[in-house]
């Protein structure tokens, strides 16, 4: 079924208002969530809305958080998200990072006591309009095994970096530190199709093409897949994200990061810190060199890469281009939702007495 | 042939003195270079010494650089390496990063007009003794194709991040953003062995097991190998390193980064900036939370990961452990050098009238 994104965003906003968020926070959260649907990260968009409501139902989400700085220097801080929506906590952390960058060149914020923050790229891209480079990372509940491990110890732990150009659209890298996102496994599960080797392992740590491997005690593999192809590097990256987001902030880390509220996967279990952790950063371009010169060189970089000879039928792609093209297409032609998602949204509409 | 590392380091120092480096710089450069041999990154150690001398012979290396800050804010700067040894420029940049971190919580230095800086991990680890997290990146001459490209546009562009713990040794991730380091291809070439698929492509962009592929017009592949296994993520990472090291500093970037001085691969070609670029960063732990608390949590992180059940015959490894173990072993038992390297060193000894 096809929906205009404005209609979906309005609905998201109404749901967040219904669980007690302020007007301002509900609007912001709806912008972040719909941005995932527009940019093609469907698993992090409106499909998760009922999950956020379950977090609220289970007392893990505070709809009126008092978000505050608990430790800081001129260029760094830890903020306590007060169990708020990550969709709201992360943008506020990014604002603080940008204020610090305005004053001293860069700002780096580690966040504790938050929840799932949606699509990492959204937060990194907030820096672009101020001629800053934006960074966003978050840890997440364990789905990934370090190299040689049989146990899941890391989340899909994404990294996003957004860099402005002049004539060209910005460079926006935004990726999970795994071989693939878990959403791709779910697509294969629905099709009953096997997974390419190198995406997942079984419960004993063997390579497998079982698209249900993670449900069957197996795990997603770090970027690189196996040791021979550099999985220790993907593991290292996921670990860096976990340390910056979790250990540096005083949030949970490693296997202790609480799960998002998917059905049957709710309990937070033993805790070593507060909630989920994020890490956000902003670097002012003219803290390094004049922004106009930098952006002209970024154009040179982008144009040179796009002009490279490509394998048959392909082009060299600038990170961020596919998502931006999809966003334009979906803004024009609407967003398709799967039936289970529509059913979830209808249930929310009934519960809160909102029109869908 | 086996040598004590002290003997090799002394020789390196004498060679750098012979081309006109100061006592202080020659000592520092020898420490950085031998650190690669000790930690098992043999391709970045004394095997490159004759290459640095060739850079000097070709006017691309200034043995007495005046390294200076050309633009700064309290937490950021660009420094001009004045064509100095990267082995000397990068540690000075890291010192500046740490001074800034001391004052305002973090320091981020982009470097232009430098040369190959040796082993990235060395520079990141400089931050550890001050209870800081260290970062080091560098761009390098193009050996790597972006996803779908037939043309080499990126270097192996390593990232290193060093994080202190309390009872445990530090976490030190240090890796090229490719599936494998080029040094591994050279080992296969010497053995006449094929390469695993996913390491390199041929000149037309096809998968190949030709260990000589890069010499035959092919390329190293980004971490991930192919698009299906996430090579666009490895490409994105390599691009981030290039942008932070090259574009942000005003150094060369992308395909314009000048080659290191391997034989027959000397000319710098068209330039879009000055020399090679690096990016170094330091974050003070207590800019986020008390260092003792953080380091105790890092111990918890490390101990938990090491205790995870592993596949048969393996252990879950903490990034940095293999290199540190090798360093202890090589300090005790000496460093083995291949005959061509020894021949190179003998030629340098003859040329400069130094004992080897």
């Amino acid at each position: 079924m096809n929906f205009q994104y404005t209609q979906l965003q309005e609905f998201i906003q109404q749901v967040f208002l219904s669980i007690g968020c302020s007007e301002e926070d509900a609007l912001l959260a709806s912008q972040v969530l719909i941005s995932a649907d527009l940019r093609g990260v469907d698993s992090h968009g409106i499909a998760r809305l009922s999950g956020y409501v379950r977090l609220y139902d289970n007392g893990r989400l505070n709809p009126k958080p008092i978000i505050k700085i608990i430790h800081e220097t001129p260029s760094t801080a830890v903020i306590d998200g007060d169990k708020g929506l990550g969709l709201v906590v992360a943008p506020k952390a990014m604002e603080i990072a940008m204020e610090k960058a305005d004053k001293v060149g860069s700002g780096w914020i580690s966040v504790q006591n938050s929840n799932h923050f949606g699509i990492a790229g959204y937060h990194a891209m907030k820096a672009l309009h101020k001629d800053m480079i934006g960074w966003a990372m978050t840890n997440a509940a364990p789905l990934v095994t370090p190299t040689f491990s049989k146990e899941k110890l890391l989340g899909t732990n994404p990294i996003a970096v957004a860099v402005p150009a002049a004539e060209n659209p910005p460079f926006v890298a935004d990726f999970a530190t795994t071989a693939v996102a878990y959403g791709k496994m779910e697509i294969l599960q629905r099709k009953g199709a096997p997974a390419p080797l190198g995406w997942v392992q079984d419960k004993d740590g063997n390579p497998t093409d079982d698209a249900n491997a993670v449900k069957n005690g197996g795990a997603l593999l770090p970027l690189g897949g196996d040791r021979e192809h550099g999985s220790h590097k993907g593991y290292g990256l996921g670990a860096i994200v976990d340390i910056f987001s979790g250990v540096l902030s005083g949030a949970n880390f490693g296997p202790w990061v609480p799960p998002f509220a998917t059905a049957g996967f709710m309990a937070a279990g033993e805790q070593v810190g507060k909630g989920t952790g994020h890490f956000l950063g902003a670097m002012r371009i003219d803290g390094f060199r004049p922004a106009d010169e930098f952006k002209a060189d970024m154009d040179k970089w982008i144009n040179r890469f796009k002009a490279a000879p490509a394998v048959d039928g392909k082009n060299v792609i600038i990170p961020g281009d596919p998502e931006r093209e999809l966003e334009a297409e979906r803004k024009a032609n609407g967003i398709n939702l799967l039936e289970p998602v529509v059913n979830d949204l209808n249930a929310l509409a009934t519960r809160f007495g909102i029109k869908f």
Side-chain angles (χ1 to χ4, degrees), chain A residues 65 75 114 116 141 185 198 225 260 270 275 326 352:
Chain A
S75 78
S114 184
H116 197 280
M185 303 307 298
F260 188 75
E270 186 197 351
L326 202 57
F352 295 118

Side-chain angles (χ1 to χ4, degrees), chain A residues 46-287:
Chain A
I46 196 166
R48 282 193 183 249
L49 184 58
S50 62
Y52 287 104
V53 174
R54 269 198 299 277
L55 281 178
Y56 168 74
D57 289 339
N58 284 271
R60 281 181 49 204
L61 177 65
N62 177 3
K64 290 214 166 56
I66 298 166
I67 300 166
K68 56 176 187 283
I69 294 174
I70 55 176
H71 191 99
E72 70 178 320
T73 71
S75 78
T76 65
V78 164
I79 76 167
D80 181 331
D82 196 21
K83 302 204 298 184
L85 280 167
L87 306 169
V88 167
V89 175
K92 299 222 164 138
M94 195 65 190
E95 269 174 40
I96 297 168
M98 288 161 62
E99 282 165 23
K100 288 181 178 290
D102 255 336
K103 285 182 197 151
V104 296
S106 73
W108 306 89
I109 314 296
S110 192
V111 179
Q112 61 164 234
N113 210 8
S114 184
N115 279 295
H116 197 280
F117 78 6
I119 174 178
Y122 178 95
H123 308 299
M125 290 172 71
K126 291 294 281 181
L128 293 173
H129 74 281
K130 296 205 69 169
D131 279 352
M132 294 180 183
I133 292 173
W135 287 73
M137 307 179 186
T138 186
N139 66 10
L143 288 175
V144 184
T145 42
T147 305
F148 301 138
S149 172
K150 291 199 274 193
E151 189 186 2
K152 294 185 277 284
L153 295 171
L154 290 168
T156 53
N157 295 7
I159 299 175
V161 173
V163 182
E167 306 290 326
N168 285 287
F171 170 105
V172 183
D174 178 7
F175 51 87
T177 50
T178 49
V180 288
Y182 190 66
K184 294 212 178 161
M185 303 307 298
E186 293 173 323
I187 293 168
L188 294 175
Q189 288 164 18
R190 283 194 293 270
K191 289 185 186 164
L197 287 178
W199 287 18
V200 281
Q201 68 180 25
D202 70 14
K203 67 180 171 43
D204 300 316
N206 299 312
T208 180
D209 64 0
D210 176 12
N212 291 291
V214 177
K215 291 179 182 173
N216 296 333
L220 288 178
L221 292 170
L223 178 59
D226 59 24
R227 176 63 181 77
E228 184 172 76
H229 293 87
S231 70
H232 56 300
K233 303 178 181 193
Y235 155 41
L237 276 173
I240 289 166
V241 172
D242 190 40
I243 292 167
F244 286 15
S245 302
V247 187
L248 205 50
S249 69
N252 289 290
F253 49 81
W256 293 286
V257 180
F260 188 75
T262 47
F265 192 50
M266 185 70 227
E270 186 197 351
Q271 302 283 280
V272 295
K274 289 184 174 177
T276 298
H278 318 310
F279 186 77
L280 298 122
M283 302 193 296
R284 218 171 72 209
I285 303 281
D286 69 4

